[in-house]
Amino acid sequence: MTSIDLNADLGEGFGRWRLTDDEGLLSVVTSANVACGFHAGDPATMRRVCELAAERGVTVGAQVSYRDLAGFGRRAMDVPPAELAAEVAYQIGALEVFARAAGTRVAYVKPHGALYNRVVRDEEQAAAVVDGVLLAGGALPVLGLPGSRVLERAAEAGLPAVPEAFADRAYTDQATLVPRGQEGAVVTEPDSVVARSVELARSGRVTARSGAVVTVRARSLCVHGDTPGAVDLARRVRERLEASGVRVEAFA
């Protein structure tokens, strides 16, 4: 039977401000990419999400980012490799404290936003992210875009490299994500998101923005938690996947 992980970005709040419906999404997804305080998240939020994830049997992952609270981690930044490696390790370590306190652990690492897109092609920044994972200790899997430099560097370092696809993001003909600043970068029509999810899981293909069909073979499928109606959409995606004979289960 075909199987796939269903992940979402969670804990994306700060103080009294909350962006994601963490409780709702944790009733649907199998893996939680938890913000570690650099693009969103604070200690109380990280602790709460880890506790909820542990209660519901959802795998916890560290979503690491450039230090960019004001820009939600989506602004381009040039961070020296040694500094970036230290910041990645710092974020993983912070989340690990709350994960262990909740009776679980950090089971993987996923870059966020501008960092995620940068390490698709940037060798130096990709290597720095992997160095940060190694510095944090443990052979943690790294989640990223298929064919990205960060997954290549992770595999070379002996870390599990886990390819990821996006149900609600538009793709280029090169199987990379259309930049968020461009029109049509986010797929918002629910039926389309659901259909794309099944096609990605079952055939490893998706229709690019140009209309071309591109190959995107992935072990995990992301549904964004900051889109309107995210919980209902994630639930529809999971129900359709399972109805199509796809087993939904965590990869870590």
Side-chain angles (χ1 to χ4, degrees), residues 10-11 23 31 51 73 116 119 137 165 167-168 172 181 183 192 221 229 242:
L10 300 177
E23 292 85 350
S31 294
E51 289 173 347
Y116 186 98
V119 298
D168 52 6
T172 69
E183 184 178 354
S192 179
L221 182 66
E242 292 175 334

Side-chain angles (χ1 to χ4, degrees), residues 9-26 35 39-49 51-52 56 72 225-227:
D9 303 342
L10 300 177
E12 291 186 328
F14 196 84
R16 297 178 62 185
W17 172 71
R18 290 191 188 184
L19 179 63
T20 50
D21 182 352
D22 298 325
E23 292 85 350
L25 285 164
L26 284 167
H39 75 280
D42 56 36
T45 301
M46 292 161 69
R47 179 181 182 182
R48 176 178 55 83
V49 174
E51 289 173 347
L52 288 170
R56 301 179 187 192
F72 196 61
D226 59 350
T227 54

Side-chain angles (χ1 to χ4, degrees), residues 21-25 27-28 224-225 227-236:
D21 182 352
D22 298 325
E23 292 85 350
L25 285 164
S27 68
V28 182
H224 280 98
T227 54
V231 175
D232 288 339
L233 182 57
R235 186 172 291 112
R236 283 188 60 190

Side-chain angles (χ1 to χ4, degrees), residues 187-240:
V187 181
T188 58
E189 207 286 309
D191 289 342
S192 179
V193 173
V194 172
R196 287 160 61 90
S197 299
V198 174
E199 184 72 4
L200 282 163
R202 291 184 61 84
S203 70
R205 298 181 301 180
V206 67
T207 301
R209 186 175 58 172
S210 69
V213 176
V214 296
T215 299
V216 183
R217 299 197 183 280
R219 178 64 187 87
S220 186
L221 182 66
C222 179
V223 288
H224 280 98
D226 59 350
T227 54
V231 175
D232 288 339
L233 182 57
R235 186 172 291 112
R236 283 188 60 190
V237 166
R238 178 160 187 168
E239 289 172 351
R240 183 67 64 83

Side-chain angles (χ1 to χ4, degrees), residues 1-250:
M1 178 183 288
T2 299
S3 66
I4 198 162
D5 172 58
L6 195 61
N7 78 74
D9 303 342
L10 300 177
E12 291 186 328
F14 196 84
R16 297 178 62 185
W17 172 71
R18 290 191 188 184
L19 179 63
T20 50
D21 182 352
D22 298 325
E23 292 85 350
L25 285 164
L26 284 167
S27 68
V28 182
V29 300
T30 48
S31 294
N33 317 316
V34 184
C36 299
F38 272 37
H39 75 280
D42 56 36
T45 301
M46 292 161 69
R47 179 181 182 182
R48 176 178 55 83
V49 174
C50 285
E51 289 173 347
L52 288 170
E55 289 172 4
R56 301 179 187 192
V58 176
T59 299
V60 171
Q63 186 161 45
V64 299
S65 166
Y66 287 129
R67 188 191 294 268
D68 181 27
L69 273 176
F72 196 61
R74 288 179 175 162
R75 296 186 293 191
M77 303 184 76
D78 290 314
V79 180
E83 184 177 335
L84 179 58
E87 291 186 344
V88 166
Y90 178 93
Q91 292 174 79
I92 296 169
L95 186 64
E96 180 70 6
V97 168
F98 298 115
R100 287 189 177 274
T104 184
R105 63 187 179 89
V106 173
Y108 66 93
V109 177
K110 175 183 174 178
H112 165 82
L115 181 59
Y116 186 98
N117 291 316
R118 181 78 171 265
V119 298
V120 171
R121 302 188 185 281
D122 190 310
E123 293 276 0
E124 189 175 65
Q125 296 282 281
V129 168
V130 172
D131 287 346
V133 176
L134 295 171
L135 182 61
L140 293 176
V142 177
L143 191 60
L145 207 67
S148 62
R149 295 292 180 265
V150 73
L151 291 192
E152 292 174 357
R153 299 293 81 76
E156 290 172 0
L159 302 176
V162 184
E164 174 186 37
F166 291 81
D168 52 6
R169 289 294 309 277
Y171 280 84
T172 69
D173 289 358
Q174 291 72 44
T176 58
L177 299 179
V178 173
R180 278 186 175 267
Q182 295 185 19
E183 184 178 354
V186 179
V187 181
T188 58
E189 207 286 309
D191 289 342
S192 179
V193 173
V194 172
R196 287 160 61 90
S197 299
V198 174
E199 184 72 4
L200 282 163
R202 291 184 61 84
S203 70
R205 298 181 301 180
V206 67
T207 301
R209 186 175 58 172
S210 69
V213 176
V214 296
T215 299
V216 183
R217 299 197 183 280
R219 178 64 187 87
S220 186
L221 182 66
C222 179
V223 288
H224 280 98
D226 59 350
T227 54
V231 175
D232 288 339
L233 182 57
R235 186 172 291 112
R236 283 188 60 190
V237 166
R238 178 160 187 168
E239 289 172 351
R240 183 67 64 83
L241 286 170
E242 292 175 334
S244 301
V246 178
R247 184 172 60 247
V248 180
E249 60 182 3

